Amino acid sequence: MSRHNLRENIFKILFKVEFNSVDEMKEQIEFSLDDIENLSDEDKAYITDKTEKIISLIGNIDDIISGISDGWSINRIGKAELAILRLAVYEIKFDEDIPLNVAVSEAVELAKTYCTEEARSFINGVLTKLNN
């Protein structure tokens, strides 16, 4: 599975954070993985590991997002946009294997598929502030 597809599946699971408790997320990860066709053991482990790491740092990540999203509280940001931002902020701040430009580019690509034009600009703007 391509890195983009892996990232997209992680985004879809992170989207569920807003609708489930942290305790329920382990089960939600398993349900989500069961729905992905032709998933190798390596890809399953990658998705699970990265998703669990992001969820464990969600408070820190949300603090970072709040600090750079002028006038936008976490509760005001759309759920899809928030899931994309959480993934991108994690990759930028906590995942040394992902280059900065790749994390930003992939976030914008996810936004093209799952968000509005305005949301794409918002995500790009927030992540640009993170880099400065």
Side-chain angles (χ1 to χ4, degrees):
M1 182 175 287
S2 73
R3 288 286 177 181
H4 177 77
N5 289 348
L6 290 168
R7 195 174 274 109
E8 185 173 28
N9 283 297
I10 292 167
F11 154 74
K12 289 176 180 178
I13 297 169
L14 289 175
F15 183 80
K16 296 177 179 185
V17 167
E18 293 301 301
F19 305 99
N20 296 278
S21 70
V22 173
D23 295 335
E24 295 170 322
M25 284 309 298
K26 191 163 202 75
E27 186 175 48
Q28 289 300 317
I29 292 169
E30 290 174 21
F31 289 151
S32 296
L33 294 175
D34 288 344
D35 289 340
I36 303 170
E37 294 181 18
N38 302 319
L39 187 63
S40 71
D41 289 342
E42 182 180 333
D43 290 344
K44 182 177 182 177
Y46 181 86
I47 291 169
T48 301
D49 183 56
K50 191 164 186 172
T51 303
E52 288 176 348
K53 285 178 181 176
I54 294 168
I55 291 169
S56 74
L57 292 167
I58 217 154
N60 295 348
I61 293 169
D62 286 356
D63 288 344
I64 293 168
I65 294 168
S66 293
I68 57 175
S69 57
D70 299 329
W72 288 80
S73 69
I74 291 295
N75 295 334
R76 190 170 169 219
I77 299 172
K79 291 176 181 10
E81 292 84 349
L82 184 56
I84 292 169
L85 284 170
R86 285 172 170 162
L87 174 55
V89 169
Y90 172 81
E91 290 184 336
I92 293 166
K93 291 293 191 179
F94 302 99
D95 191 338
E96 296 175 3
D97 295 333
I98 308 294
L100 174 81
N101 61 330
V102 171
V104 173
S105 176
E106 286 291 330
V108 172
E109 285 301 312
L110 284 170
K112 285 180 182 177
T113 303
Y114 295 99
C115 304
T116 65
E117 177 98 21
E118 295 81 19
R120 283 182 253 161
S121 297
F122 173 74
I123 288 168
N124 191 42
V126 168
L127 295 176
T128 299
K129 288 179 189 175
L130 184 62
N131 303 328
N132 294 332

